[in-house]
Amino acid sequence: AVRIGRIGRAEARRMLGDTLVGRMLRTARGGALPEEGVIDAIVGLAALAADHPEIAEFDLNPIIIGRGRTVAVDALAVLA
């Protein structure tokens, strides 16, 4: 899912719902994996990108989703 500019939590939730990961979060372990940390990450990254147009791309891999926290284990920001 791709959006340009700042986004709010509702838009981030829609974005997540448009992806395979979003569908996996809803079905894995009976929907027990939380989406909120991922939504927070999407909103935060969109704000960071809007504040710093010199950032051309982000790569977060892997992201570990657990109860109470979401962690990007490795991150790369490519500057334009």
Side-chain angles (χ1 to χ4, degrees):
V2 176
R3 304 295 189 277
I4 296 175
R6 291 185 186 274
I7 60 169
R9 295 183 62 75
E11 187 63 22
R13 188 175 307 283
R14 282 190 291 276
M15 285 177 66
L16 186 58
D18 290 345
T19 67
L20 176 60
V21 170
R23 291 188 293 276
M24 290 171 61
L25 284 172
R26 284 192 302 276
T27 60
R29 299 182 189 163
L33 291 176
E35 294 181 354
E36 295 308 310
V38 178
I39 291 167
D40 289 341
I42 293 169
V43 171
L45 286 169
L48 183 64
D51 290 344
H52 297 279
E54 67 274 17
I55 298 173
E57 61 185 83
F58 287 111
D59 180 15
L60 305 176
N61 188 21
I63 297 175
I64 299 174
I65 303 164
R67 295 187 194 283
R69 68 184 197 157
T70 299
V71 178
V73 177
D74 187 33
L76 172 69
V78 176
L79 303 180

